[in-house]
Amino acid sequence: MYQIEELSEEVKNCRRCTLWRTRKNPVLGSGDSRADIMFIGEAPGRNEDMEGKPFVGEAGKILDQLLTSIDLKREKVYITNILKCRPPGNRNPSRDEIEACTPFLDRQIESVNPWIIVTLGNFATRYILEKFNLKAESIGRIHGRIFNLKAKNLKIVPMYHPASALYNPRIKGVMIDDFRVIGELIESI
Ligand code: URA
């Protein structure tokens, strides 16, 4: 098995879609490349594009608070996104971009080999559930639910995207409750 760090060079040189033209830095991922838990967001935003690291802006602050709420340290988890480059103006990822970029994510999942994948928001949730042949529904219906893939020794837990808590304080309460689910899963190891 290759090391996840090897992907970094490939992502830097990637021109599989047009986002390389407008990005400042690609954002591969951060954290423990042998983590038990992997968080998957949507795409880098302005701050992430500038720093080359995932979730370092306002949504990242919310994610940090949620991790702290269940005593998880950022260095102990692995954090990445569906897209490795910022879509201009933070628009939604296009279908072509997702198709071009997710082979990187697939290799990250294979390399990290987590036993819990937490998908943040609709884009990550749809991609991951469909990848594992599960029916994707909107995040409003399935947030906080545990999808147990026993044969793969993997649990998938969809969550709202932390950015939605920036605009809607009610969602933050829901996310805190949903994060307890992850806390309980970890304790059940
Ligand atoms: N939103 C995301 O989905 N990912 C990031 O890295 C930052 C904001």
Side-chain angles (χ1 to χ4, degrees), residues 10 19 22 37 43 52-53 74 79 86 110 130 134-135 141-142 149 151 174-176 183 185-186:
E10 274 188 59
L19 294 180
T22 45
I37 309 184
K53 294 191 191 121
R74 202 186 242 252
I79 304 176
R86 181 191 185 203
E110 199 189 313
E130 287 178 356
L134 294 165
K135 185 170 176 286
R141 290 178 68 104
I142 57 174
L149 280 92
V174 175
M175 289 196 81
I176 288 174
L185 267 184
I186 294 167

Side-chain angles (χ1 to χ4, degrees), residues 63-72 175-177 179-180:
L63 181 59
D64 283 338
Q65 288 169 14
L66 291 163
L67 289 171
T68 303
S69 77
I70 55 166
D71 261 341
L72 260 188
M175 289 196 81
I176 288 174
D177 287 344
F179 260 67
R180 283 202 197 112

Side-chain angles (χ1 to χ4, degrees), residues 103-117:
F104 291 124
L105 177 64
D106 292 343
R107 288 163 63 192
Q108 286 173 295
I109 293 171
E110 199 189 313
S111 176
V112 176
N113 195 21
W115 67 272
I116 302 174
I117 292 180

Side-chain angles (χ1 to χ4, degrees), residues 27 40-46 48 53-60 79-83 90 120 161-163:
V27 180
I40 306 175
E42 184 176 311
R46 191 168 172 274
E48 291 77 19
K53 294 191 191 121
F55 283 99
V56 290
E58 290 303 310
I79 304 176
T80 187
N81 285 303
I82 288 284
L83 295 191
N90 298 347
L120 301 169
H161 192 285

Side-chain angles (χ1 to χ4, degrees), residues 1-133:
M1 190 192 289
Y2 55 84
Q3 297 293 310
I4 208 162
E5 291 76 16
E6 289 171 26
L7 285 176
S8 174
E9 269 316 292
E10 274 188 59
V11 168
K12 270 186 209 147
N13 297 322
C14 177
R15 293 189 174 189
R16 290 184 197 171
C17 77
T18 55
L19 294 180
W20 67 272
R21 292 199 186 120
T22 45
R23 74 173 184 214
K24 287 195 175 62
N25 293 292
V27 180
L28 179 61
S30 72
D32 181 356
S33 55
R34 289 279 171 273
D36 290 335
I37 309 184
M38 184 165 182
F39 287 83
I40 306 175
E42 184 176 311
R46 191 168 172 274
N47 294 289
E48 291 77 19
D49 180 54
M50 285 192 301
E51 290 193 33
K53 294 191 191 121
F55 283 99
V56 290
E58 290 303 310
K61 283 189 198 150
I62 302 268
L63 181 59
D64 283 338
Q65 288 169 14
L66 291 163
L67 289 171
T68 303
S69 77
I70 55 166
D71 261 341
L72 260 188
K73 300 240 178 306
R74 202 186 242 252
E75 318 82 76
K76 296 268 182 220
V77 303
Y78 189 78
I79 304 176
T80 187
N81 285 303
I82 288 284
L83 295 191
K84 308 308 185 216
C85 296
R86 181 191 185 203
N90 298 347
R91 63 160 168 74
N92 286 341
S94 73
R95 196 193 298 206
D96 286 352
E97 288 157 1
I98 293 172
E99 203 178 299
C101 203
T102 42
F104 291 124
L105 177 64
D106 292 343
R107 288 163 63 192
Q108 286 173 295
I109 293 171
E110 199 189 313
S111 176
V112 176
N113 195 21
W115 67 272
I116 302 174
I117 292 180
V118 181
T119 57
L120 301 169
N122 272 313
F123 284 93
T125 300
R126 191 174 321 128
Y127 179 75
I128 291 296
L129 290 182
E130 287 178 356
K131 171 180 167 68
F132 291 102
N133 297 317

